[in-house]
Amino acid sequence: MSLKSERRGIHVDQSELLCKKGCGYYGNPAWQGFCSKCWREEYHKARQKQIQEDWELAERLQREEEEAFASSQSGPGAQSLTFSKFEEKKTNEKTRKVTTVKKFFSASSRVGSKKEIQEAKAPSPSINRQASIETDRVSKEFIEFLKTFHKTGQEIYKQTKMFLETMHYKRDLSIEEQSECTQDFYQNVAERMQTRGKVPSERVEKIMDQIEKYIMTRLYKYVFCPETTDDEKKDLAIQKRIRALHWVTPQMLCVPVNEEISEVSDMVVKAITDIIEMDSKRVPRDKLACITKCSKHIFNAIKITKNEPASADDFLPTLIYIVLKGNPPRLQSNIQYITRFCNPSRLMAGEDGYYFTNLVMLCCGFH
């Protein structure tokens, strides 16, 4: 039976990859099916609504306490024991209910103690030295890159340094809140360059790539697979699931590649190498580039086998086969890291976004 006439065992409608709001960009399960832009809009709406509700509740509780106090003062003698209990109950409820408000308005100003920072898990000396060398190299490259932009470059460097200093004091926030801060920074810098600096969009994209490289090289050890998440637990579950599927063959998945062809076999090896190499990168864009290179090798392997361009229905089962064969380390952590800290424009459109969205869907299938 020819590959053309085989019935595909795996099929994904391309519309399933898109944002459920219908904006045309790629969605992501981590954003509840929205693209980054729509998700942030929904998130801010929900957050503002919650803040408003909490303030209204706090004001209502305050009024009730004042009324109760005024009522108690109208009677003879001091406050009754009943009122004291009532006041204590209301105060406790108010304190509990307005926690969200306090978090939003004061969390960013909290400074972690030296003891808390020192208690963070420290990497080995050799890893520290290697990270320090890479950080120094990236810093020098970033400064040299910005020199060509003169005054605009100076302003960008100043904003970036301020952001890193701010993030240093936000390590006690959840990883989602740290991600939100980073995405806000990306958006604000890009908008400022376009509106105030009148920087062309293609140049803005190049600058944003360098900004991401600089800040995420510095933040990587704090925000990749943090202990406050279940990323590591999911990594282990996915690896165990993949090992349990060792018996799955390319024929079962209807994979349209013939590894008996030496060139195709080489492409498969390169694809596996790329997806495994993703874990060694520190910058989200570099991890994303590994996924893109892996996917291009897959398309080339299919094209050589079929002697015609590959389709989307050919790609997904072959990607599944590559992941099963390679069992890449910390797959969930790498996907989450890219989702949380990559420049969102790369995930929302283009070939990077398409390949990444397919990998995310595949990863969700292993849970």
Side-chain angles (χ1 to χ4, degrees):
M1 185 181 292
S2 68
L3 287 172
K4 289 183 179 179
S5 61
E6 280 184 346
R7 182 179 179 181
R8 297 292 177 217
I10 300 170
H11 173 75
V12 173
D13 193 308
Q14 294 303 290
S15 63
E16 296 177 31
L17 304 179
L18 299 177
C19 173
K20 67 181 185 181
K21 201 170 181 179
C23 65
Y25 292 117
Y26 293 119
N28 189 318
W31 300 321
Q32 298 182 10
F34 293 104
C35 69
S36 175
K37 182 175 180 294
C38 293
W39 163 248
R40 284 165 63 76
E41 290 175 356
E42 294 296 319
Y43 174 82
H44 282 301
K45 286 180 184 176
R47 186 170 69 171
Q48 291 302 318
K49 182 181 178 181
Q50 183 63 51
I51 291 173
Q52 182 62 33
E53 289 177 351
D54 286 343
W55 275 119
E56 290 175 355
L57 175 62
E59 290 174 353
R60 179 174 62 81
L61 291 175
Q62 182 65 32
R63 285 196 304 270
E64 290 177 358
E65 290 178 7
E66 290 173 353
E67 291 170 0
F69 180 77
S71 176
S72 67
Q73 292 298 306
S74 62
Q79 290 183 348
S80 66
L81 180 62
T82 302
F83 172 73
S84 297
K85 291 181 178 179
F86 169 80
E87 184 180 44
E88 181 182 357
K89 179 181 177 182
K90 284 296 183 180
T91 302
N92 290 338
E93 184 179 358
K94 177 183 175 183
T95 302
R96 179 174 60 84
K97 291 293 185 180
V98 299
T99 299
T100 304
V101 178
K102 289 183 179 179
K103 180 179 70 173
F104 283 129
F105 286 94
S106 64
S108 61
S109 63
R110 289 199 304 270
V111 179
S113 66
K114 290 183 179 179
K115 183 179 179 181
E116 289 173 339
I117 295 173
Q118 290 171 350
E119 287 176 351
K121 185 190 290 185
S124 67
S126 60
I127 294 176
N128 269 331
R129 284 195 297 272
Q130 182 180 355
S132 178
I133 292 171
E134 183 176 359
T135 299
D136 290 343
R137 177 181 59 80
V138 170
S139 297
K140 290 177 182 177
E141 290 176 355
F142 185 58
I143 292 171
E144 288 300 315
F145 173 78
L146 291 179
K147 282 182 179 179
T148 60
F149 295 93
H150 308 294
K151 188 175 181 180
T152 300
Q154 293 176 5
E155 181 63 25
I156 291 171
Y157 185 72
K158 180 181 178 182
Q159 293 175 40
T160 306
K161 291 290 289 183
M162 288 178 62
F163 168 75
L164 286 173
E165 289 173 6
T166 301
M167 289 297 287
H168 175 77
Y169 298 118
K170 290 188 175 183
R171 290 179 194 168
D172 59 334
L173 298 183
S174 70
I175 194 64
E176 288 76 17
E177 289 170 308
Q178 292 183 64
S179 169
E180 186 70 13
C181 290
T182 305
Q183 296 298 331
D184 283 340
F185 174 71
Y186 287 151
Q187 183 177 347
N188 292 336
V189 172
E191 288 180 353
R192 183 171 296 187
M193 281 191 288
Q194 290 173 328
T195 56
R196 296 185 183 180
K198 305 298 181 183
V199 180
S201 57
E202 62 274 7
R203 184 169 288 188
V204 169
E205 199 65 29
K206 290 181 181 179
I207 295 174
M208 293 306 301
D209 286 343
Q210 292 299 319
I211 290 174
E212 179 190 312
K213 182 178 181 180
Y214 176 65
I215 66 173
M216 295 315 303
T217 298
R218 289 178 168 273
L219 295 176
Y220 175 81
K221 63 181 179 181
Y222 305 111
V223 297
F224 179 82
C225 192
E227 293 181 350
T228 54
T229 69
D230 61 354
D231 291 352
E232 185 176 9
K233 180 180 178 182
K234 290 182 177 179
D235 285 334
L236 296 174
I238 289 175
Q239 284 203 319
K240 183 177 179 181
R241 175 64 174 159
I242 290 175
R243 284 196 296 269
L245 295 170
H246 64 87
W247 50 270
V248 175
T249 65
Q251 292 74 26
M252 292 175 180
L253 296 170
C254 297
V255 174
V257 295
N258 183 1
E259 292 184 76
E260 293 182 2
I261 303 173
S262 60
E263 194 174 357
V264 172
S265 179
D266 289 343
M267 291 293 176
V268 169
V269 171
K270 288 179 180 178
I272 292 173
T273 302
D274 287 331
I275 198 71
I276 291 175
E277 188 181 357
M278 172 176 62
D279 188 57
S280 67
K281 305 298 183 181
R282 293 163 65 88
V283 181
R285 180 171 61 91
D286 292 343
K287 290 181 181 291
L288 190 61
C290 289
I291 298 172
T292 298
K293 287 192 292 183
C294 167
S295 301
K296 287 185 174 180
H297 287 315
I298 289 173
F299 271 101
N300 287 333
I302 297 170
K303 183 179 180 180
I304 295 169
T305 299
K306 298 180 67 176
N307 198 28
E308 64 180 42
S311 68
D313 285 343
D314 293 325
F315 172 66
L316 185 58
T318 311
L319 178 62
I320 293 173
Y321 172 62
I322 294 298
V323 171
L324 290 178
K325 198 166 182 179
N327 198 356
R330 301 194 289 188
L331 184 57
Q332 172 71 17
S333 291
N334 281 293
I335 286 176
Q336 290 286 21
Y337 179 67
I338 294 170
T339 300
R340 291 164 180 158
F341 296 103
C342 188
N343 183 359
S345 63
R346 287 194 170 273
L347 305 184
M348 292 165 58
E351 60 180 10
D352 288 343
Y354 174 76
Y355 298 140
F356 180 70
T357 303
N358 274 276
L359 182 62
V360 172
M361 290 187 63
L362 185 162
C363 189
C364 288
F366 286 127
H367 292 314

